[in-house]
Amino acid sequence: MNGATLSPRRKIFGRLSIVVGNSVQIAGLVAAYLALAAARSAHPALAAVFAMIVGWVLLYFCCHAIAHWVVGRILGIRFVFYTVGGTGNPEGWPGGLRWLFQHLPFFGVQTEKTSMQKASPMARAIMWSAGVTSSAVVPTLGALWAWHSDVPWSKLFFLTALFWAVGTLASNWTSRTGDYSKARRALGNR
């Protein structure tokens, strides 16, 4: 997602209508909840760990773009469609992860140009910040919930998720194409 045009660096695999994109992401979030709930009582321990990881991955993939959409709509920004494709922030990740993230199916959401132009700089900055903030906070809270639910290996997994969240925030803060950089530009800060 980037204002008026799709990032030329992002490999797009497909487009979805807003209704279909929201439905898929909501279904993914529900499935994440169910996987985390199943992890609480799954036996053997390996099944519980697997369910916890599946829940975390679903949260990670399904909370970012819909957070942009929800916050943007609240602030009066309209959207035209969702995209499914590699990361829009490839330079924010180191070598091997960069290649992987360019080929994973991340959701993006395309803003409607006129509504972005009419939105205040603060509204645009908040909308840009919503996605990556959600990508860091929501999966980490899922891992924390697993830990407090006594899922096997969840304390170590929570620490790993916390480390991943910091990396997600840092990559988006320092990269020219990261959402936080877009938010700073919207506010007139380079």
Side-chain angles (χ1 to χ4, degrees), residues 12 30 54-55 86 149 185:
I12 303 296
V30 169
V54 166
S149 298
R185 284 193 299 275

Side-chain angles (χ1 to χ4, degrees), residues 114-180:
T114 304
S115 70
M116 277 294 276
Q117 291 170 340
K118 289 180 181 178
S120 72
M122 183 60 74
R124 289 192 307 266
I126 292 169
M127 184 277 298
W128 283 122
S129 298
V132 70
T133 302
S134 177
S135 291
V137 172
V138 172
T140 304
L141 289 176
L144 179 64
W145 185 66
W147 179 25
H148 285 287
S149 298
D150 295 322
V151 174
W153 293 92
S154 58
K155 183 176 184 179
L156 177 63
F157 187 73
F158 169 69
L159 294 173
T160 302
L162 195 57
F163 179 76
W164 187 267
V166 169
T168 296
L169 295 172
S171 74
N172 275 273
W173 187 262
T174 59
S175 168
R176 292 181 300 112
T177 58
D179 284 347
Y180 287 149

Side-chain angles (χ1 to χ4, degrees), residues 1-3 10 18 22 25 62-79 81-83 88-89 106-111 116 123-135 172 177-183:
M1 177 177 85
N2 78 357
R10 185 165 185 245
I18 295 297
N22 284 344
Q25 290 171 93
C62 294
C63 71
H64 183 106
I66 202 166
H68 283 303
W69 182 81
V70 167
V71 171
R73 291 301 299 141
I74 290 169
L75 298 172
I77 298 170
R78 292 184 306 276
F79 300 86
F81 56 83
Y82 279 103
T83 58
N89 179 31
F106 290 102
F107 286 96
V109 64
Q110 181 66 37
T111 58
M116 277 294 276
R124 289 192 307 266
I126 292 169
M127 184 277 298
W128 283 122
S129 298
V132 70
T133 302
S134 177
S135 291
N172 275 273
T177 58
D179 284 347
Y180 287 149
S181 294
K182 293 173 186 176

Side-chain angles (χ1 to χ4, degrees), residues 19-104:
V19 171
V20 171
N22 284 344
S23 298
V24 169
Q25 290 171 93
I26 290 168
L29 294 171
V30 169
Y33 169 78
L34 294 174
L36 288 169
R40 294 172 60 185
S41 59
H43 291 3
L46 185 58
V49 171
F50 180 75
M52 174 180 61
I53 292 170
V54 166
W56 184 88
V57 168
L58 285 168
L59 289 175
Y60 189 77
F61 276 88
C62 294
C63 71
H64 183 106
I66 202 166
H68 283 303
W69 182 81
V70 167
V71 171
R73 291 301 299 141
I74 290 169
L75 298 172
I77 298 170
R78 292 184 306 276
F79 300 86
V80 291
F81 56 83
Y82 279 103
T83 58
V84 180
T87 182
N89 179 31
E91 65 188 43
W93 298 96
L97 281 177
R98 179 178 301 144
W99 183 91
L100 179 65
F101 275 46
Q102 287 176 311
H103 294 85
L104 287 173

